[in-house]
Amino acid sequence: MATLHHFTTGASITTQIPGQAFGKLPTVDGLERYNLENKFSVTAGAPAFAPCKSRVIYLQDVANNQLLNVVAFPVASSLAGLPVKAIIYRGLTKSALIDSAGNVQQDDSSWSSDNVLKTVKDLQLKISNATGVIPSPVPQNCLGVQFSNDPDDKLLEAPLFDDSSNFHPLIVEGGCQIGKFSGGETPAGVEVILDRIGYDPTIKLLKSGNHILEIPELVLSPSDTAEEQLIKKFNNRFRKEEILGYMDITALYGCYRNRGLTISGTSSGDAFLASYLNKNSVYIDVRDRYGFSYNHFLGLRDTLSVGFAGADNNFVFQEHHYYAGWPILRLDAAQYATAKANFQVRIPIEIGDALNRYYVTNFADKIASVVDGQRRRSIAVGGDPDDGHIQLNATEPLRLRNWCYSDKKLGSNYFLLKIDATGDTVEGALSTNIWKNRFSMKMKNVFGTTNMQEGHFSVNTYAAYNSPVISDAKAGEVYYAVSGIAVDKENVTFFSFRDEPVFTTKESGVSLPAYPLTGKGKFYYPYDEQSFQYDGGAVVQNVGFLAQMANKLKIPEYNLRKVSATNSFTQETHAVATYARNQLNDRADEIMDYFDAISLTHAEYNALLAFQENQMGSFPGHPAFICVSASTSRPYIDFDYEEHTLSLAVPTVVWDETNETPSIQLQPTSSPITLNNEPISVSGGHF
C-alpha cells in the first residue's frame, strides 16, 4: 500500500473553524451548499508536502496571481484501497517557486532536504552531464504553469499526456516539499478527488481558490403530478451526486489509521488530528452497480439501519435518513458503549433469490456478515438460497470495524461500500455482460480524436467500482472489471478487463489475480504493416487499439485475426475478429478471456455522444449507457455470429399499473439512434 504523508507540519495548523471543514454549509438564497475541500489556517510559509509518490502540476490561482495551486496525481492506483485520482493543495506562494524572471527558484536552507526545487536542479544536472550543455535557469514551464491559460473545460489530467509542448510532469516522492503555503490571512486548501465516471475534474478546478458546490433547493408544488414530483426529486438527487467524486482529507487519514498505519510527518499517536473539525466524522458511502448512491433510482427506501452495541452487548439499530441533505451518511461524534470497536449496518435491497445474489465490497478495509463472521474485502449477502435463508428488504447486519479516537468516540473514517447483484446470467455467455449497461457514455477521452496516426492509440481507464460486477457462470466467478475508452485513428472502443475477484465457487479459490491489461496514456507499438494481416494477404485497414493490444501482450504468434464462416445453404458469409495464434482454433489465453470490447467508428461514437448531450429529455446531464434495442444470432460450427442494433439506456419514468405509481428505471431510448439514416449496429462472434 502506498504510504501517505501529512500535507504540512502539525505545528503550522490552527484548529479549523466551522465553514472551513469539508461538508454541508448553510443554505443561502435557496441554494444548498457543500464544501468539497478543507481549509486550514496555517502559519506564513508553512511547508506543503507531497501526499505520496506523485506527478505534480502547478497552475496560477485565477483570483490571485501571487498564488499557485498544485495537483498531485498519485502513482499508485489507490490510497488505503480508495480510488484517489488526485489531491489538490491551494494557496502556495508563487514567489517561493518562481522568480521574477519566470524561472524556477533555487532552494535554500528554508526548504526541506527533499524538495521540488532540488528535484528540478538534479534533473537539470543529469541533462547537462548527458549533453554537455552548461546549466542555465530552468523556465517555469517545467512546473506546468503555462497550462494556466488553457480553456477551463480542459480535463485536469490532459497536461500529463501533452506531447505538443515537450512538457513532462515532475515526479516527486511522498513527503517531498512541493511548496510553501502563503498562510496568515490566506488559508491553505486541501481537496481529495476520487476516480469517478462522469465527474472528471477540469483545469478550472485547479485554478479556483476554493470548491463549493451549490444546488438549488428541491421545491415540490402541491399542483405537481406524481410523475412531476418524481422527476424533480430525481434530478435534484442527481445534481447532488457530484459530492461523491470527492472526500474529506480527514477521513483519508482516518482510513490509514483504521488499518493500523501511521501518517508520515505527524507526531506519534492521533494528536495531529486535534486541529481537524471532522476528526470524529465517519462517512458511510454506499454505491449502486453504476457507482451512484445506492438509491439513486428511488427504487428502495432512503434510510440506512446503523447499529451499535449497548451495555448488554446487544446491538440496537437506528434508522438514519441517508438522503436527508446530501447522498451520503455521515455519523458525527458517534460513541461506543462497550469495548467492541465495530458497528453494524443493514443496506436496503430487493428480495434476494437464487438468480439475484447480492455482493458487498468495502474498498477501504474489510467487511463481515453476522452470518459467518469472516472478514473479507467482498462478501455475498442477502441470504443463502441453498439453505432457504432469504433476506427481505435489507441485508443481514454487516459488521464494520472503526478505530476509536478518544473517549470511545469513533475516529474519522470513510467506508466506500458497493452493493450489486449479478442477476440472471446465461452460463458462459460473456458477451451478454457487455449489454447490461456496462459502458457509460460519460467516460471521457482525455486526449482528443485528432492527429491520430496508424499504430497509435490513447486510453483512459476508470476504477472498477464505477461499473457493474460481472458474473461468469461457466468459470464460477464474480469479479470487478476496469472499464475504459480507447481512441485510435479510425475507432473509439469501449472495453473492460478483469480486475479484482468478488466471489468464486471454486474450492481452490480464484484462479486469476487482477491483471492491469492496459493503463492510462498514449501508446505506440511498432508493427510490420505488410505482415500484419487478418487473413489471406489482406492488409489490416487500421492498426489501432484492438490490434495493438495483442502486440502489447507479446505472446508469440498471438494476434487479432479474422475468422469467416459460410452458410452452405444460403451462401451467406459472416466474418468476425478474435484473438488467436496461427491456428485460428487456438484462441486460449487466460487474460484475454476476460477482455470485452465494443468498437465504433468515430462517426458512430459522435452520433451516440450527440444523442446523450441533446436528447435526454426530462433528465439533462444524466449519463446514458450503451445497450441494444435488437439482436440476431446465426450459429456456425466455430462461433455464433451476433449482430446488435445499438441504443442508449436512459432514465425513464415507468408506471406500475397495479399500484398506479411511477418509478425511474434505465430503459433503451424509444427514439432510434441513426447515422446516415441507418441504425448504428455492431457485430461479433461468440465462441
Side-chain angles (χ1 to χ4, degrees):
M1 180 189 298
T3 58
L4 191 64
H5 199 284
H6 194 242
F7 79 96
T8 190
T9 59
S12 301
I13 309 175
T14 59
T15 302
Q16 281 183 307
I17 60 175
Q20 288 187 322
F22 181 97
K24 187 178 180 181
L25 297 172
T27 298
V28 176
D29 296 330
L31 293 175
E32 295 185 71
R33 303 161 68 240
Y34 202 98
N35 187 13
L36 292 172
E37 66 167 348
N38 277 279
K39 290 292 190 187
F40 299 89
S41 296
V42 298
T43 56
F49 298 118
C52 55
K53 187 173 184 178
S54 309
R55 294 171 292 177
V56 293
I57 296 174
Y58 298 77
L59 296 186
Q60 189 165 283
D61 190 292
V62 69
N64 188 337
N65 61 13
Q66 299 304 307
L67 297 178
L68 294 178
N69 303 326
V70 61
V71 58
F73 293 98
V75 172
S77 60
S78 66
L79 299 178
L82 297 171
V84 175
K85 178 192 284 284
I87 298 177
I88 289 176
Y89 294 167
R90 294 187 173 93
L92 302 181
T93 301
K94 181 179 179 180
S95 60
L97 290 157
I98 301 170
D99 64 23
S100 58
N103 297 316
V104 176
Q105 292 275 22
Q106 296 291 319
D107 68 325
D108 55 32
S109 59
S110 67
W111 287 77
S112 300
S113 58
D114 181 12
N115 66 76
V116 69
L117 302 181
K118 184 176 182 297
T119 299
V120 172
K121 181 179 179 180
D122 290 346
L123 287 172
Q124 183 191 38
L125 289 175
K126 287 182 180 179
I127 295 172
S128 176
N129 292 334
T131 62
V133 177
I134 299 175
S136 59
V138 179
Q140 63 182 1
N141 284 3
C142 75
L143 301 178
V145 179
Q146 67 275 23
F147 297 110
S148 301
N149 298 319
D150 284 7
D152 283 351
D153 60 356
K154 182 175 181 178
L155 294 182
L156 186 56
E157 288 177 281
L160 295 178
F161 309 100
D162 187 295
D163 50 14
S164 62
S165 60
N166 200 31
F167 172 72
H168 302 284
L170 295 172
I171 299 178
V172 298
E173 297 292 335
C176 173
Q177 186 178 349
I178 55 177
K180 295 180 180 181
F181 289 109
S182 179
E185 297 297 318
T186 303
V190 182
E191 181 168 18
V192 182
I193 305 171
L194 299 178
D195 183 15
R196 190 170 181 222
I197 294 176
Y199 297 91
D200 298 82
T202 63
I203 279 178
K204 180 180 179 180
L205 180 63
L206 183 54
K207 292 192 289 187
S208 301
N210 55 47
H211 191 188
I212 295 175
L213 177 64
E214 296 182 334
I215 300 295
E217 283 186 290
L218 175 63
V219 178
L220 300 177
S221 170
S223 63
D224 291 337
T225 65
E227 181 172 329
E228 288 171 337
Q229 289 197 3
L230 181 68
I231 291 172
K232 284 183 178 181
K233 186 176 180 181
F234 180 82
N235 285 331
N236 176 265
R237 183 164 294 189
F238 169 63
R239 293 188 191 103
K240 290 184 175 182
E241 289 275 335
E242 185 172 344
I243 73 163
L244 302 183
Y246 305 86
M247 71 172 293
D248 189 346
I249 186 65
T250 321
L252 181 58
Y253 292 150
C255 285
Y256 272 76
R257 176 61 180 81
N258 197 52
R259 289 191 168 196
L261 304 172
T262 58
I263 306 300
S264 302
T266 61
S267 58
S268 59
D270 310 318
F272 78 99
L273 283 178
S275 301
Y276 287 71
L277 202 63
N278 295 338
K279 58 183 174 292
N280 296 119
S281 297
V282 175
Y283 300 85
I284 304 176
D285 180 359
V286 186
R287 306 293 182 95
D288 71 1
R289 67 191 327 253
Y290 306 110
F292 298 118
S293 58
Y294 80 88
N295 196 25
H296 175 69
F297 290 98
L298 303 164
L300 303 168
R301 71 172 190 266
D302 280 348
T303 56
L304 198 67
S305 297
V306 180
F308 283 86
D312 58 359
N313 284 323
N314 291 321
F315 278 80
V316 178
F317 283 84
Q318 180 180 353
E319 293 292 320
H320 293 261
H321 198 311
Y322 193 90
Y323 293 89
W326 297 79
I328 192 169
L329 180 61
R330 176 168 149 169
L331 304 177
D332 289 316
Q335 194 166 358
Y336 293 123
T338 69
K340 290 184 177 180
N342 64 75
F343 63 95
Q344 298 177 2
V345 298
R346 298 188 68 194
I347 302 173
I349 59 172
E350 297 176 357
I351 298 173
D353 59 56
L355 296 179
N356 200 35
R357 191 149 193 199
Y358 286 89
Y359 301 91
V360 174
T361 299
N362 179 10
F363 287 92
D365 194 14
K366 294 182 179 179
I367 191 170
S369 150
V370 297
V371 175
D372 64 18
Q374 186 172 350
R375 297 182 72 247
R376 304 182 183 91
R377 184 172 167 90
S378 298
I379 58 174
V381 298
D384 186 348
D386 294 333
D387 62 16
H389 292 130
I390 301 297
Q391 295 295 135
L392 304 178
N393 303 320
T395 66
E396 60 267 47
L398 308 176
R399 187 179 299 121
L400 297 171
R401 182 185 66 182
N402 200 97
W403 67 290
C404 187
Y405 178 74
S406 64
D407 300 327
K408 294 185 179 180
K409 289 183 180 179
L410 277 65
S412 187
N413 205 353
Y414 199 97
F415 292 101
L416 178 57
L417 309 177
K418 183 178 177 70
I419 184 164
D420 198 358
T422 56
D424 192 1
T425 304
V426 179
E427 181 174 343
L430 285 178
S431 63
T432 60
N433 284 301
I434 294 178
W435 308 118
K436 293 183 177 179
N437 304 333
R438 191 195 309 181
F439 298 123
S440 168
M441 288 297 297
K442 289 289 186 179
M443 287 197 283
K444 295 286 188 179
N445 166 28
V446 180
F447 317 97
T449 58
T450 59
N451 301 320
M452 298 293 290
Q453 303 299 315
E454 202 73 82
H456 294 250
F457 61 96
S458 301
V459 176
N460 190 18
T461 58
Y462 291 90
Y465 85 106
N466 285 284
S467 303
V469 297
I470 296 177
S471 175
D472 180 0
K474 184 177 181 180
E477 291 183 355
V478 177
Y479 59 90
Y480 285 114
V482 170
S483 294
I485 182 172
V487 179
D488 55 48
K489 183 180 179 182
E490 303 291 343
N491 297 96
V492 176
T493 302
F494 293 88
F495 66 92
S496 69
F497 57 84
R498 188 183 190 277
D499 187 48
E500 64 175 287
V502 175
F503 182 80
T504 181
T505 58
K506 299 178 181 178
E507 294 183 3
S508 58
V510 177
S511 60
L512 188 70
Y515 181 85
L517 197 57
T518 184
K520 182 180 302 185
K522 292 183 175 181
F523 302 93
Y524 172 73
Y525 294 96
Y527 67 98
D528 180 357
E529 182 175 347
Q530 296 305 314
S531 63
F532 201 91
Q533 304 169 353
Y534 272 130
D535 65 345
V539 177
V540 173
Q541 299 279 323
N542 173 38
V543 188
F545 170 69
L546 291 177
Q548 290 286 42
M549 284 300 292
N551 287 355
K552 183 178 185 293
L553 291 174
K554 300 186 184 305
I555 300 174
E557 300 181 344
Y558 191 77
N559 285 308
L560 183 68
R561 300 179 182 278
K562 183 179 180 181
V563 182
S564 301
T566 301
N567 186 306
S568 58
F569 295 101
T570 65
Q571 298 303 306
E572 187 179 30
T573 298
H574 290 107
V576 298
T578 187
Y579 291 104
R581 294 175 177 81
N582 281 339
Q583 299 297 320
L584 292 180
N585 61 351
D586 184 7
R587 295 183 309 278
D589 181 76
E590 195 171 13
I591 294 171
M592 295 305 292
D593 281 349
Y594 293 94
F595 176 77
D596 293 321
I598 302 170
S599 196
L600 308 170
T601 66
H602 284 242
E604 291 169 338
Y605 169 71
N606 289 333
L608 293 177
L609 199 61
F611 185 94
Q612 177 182 246
E613 297 301 320
N614 302 318
Q615 303 294 327
M616 293 299 289
S618 300
F619 308 100
H622 196 280
F625 297 83
I626 296 178
C627 64
V628 297
S629 59
S631 298
T632 59
S633 178
R634 296 174 178 82
Y636 291 98
I637 294 176
D638 293 324
F639 63 90
D640 289 343
Y641 175 79
E642 299 177 354
E643 189 166 327
H644 306 279
T645 301
L646 293 190
S647 184
L648 291 177
V650 299
T652 306
V653 176
V654 178
W655 279 87
D656 184 328
E657 296 180 0
T658 302
N659 299 320
E660 295 185 348
T661 57
S663 63
I664 292 180
Q665 301 174 16
L666 284 176
Q667 297 278 339
T669 174
S670 58
S671 303
I673 304 174
T674 61
L675 178 64
N676 299 326
N677 297 318
E678 293 291 335
I680 298 174
S681 64
V682 295
S683 60
H686 181 206
F687 290 85

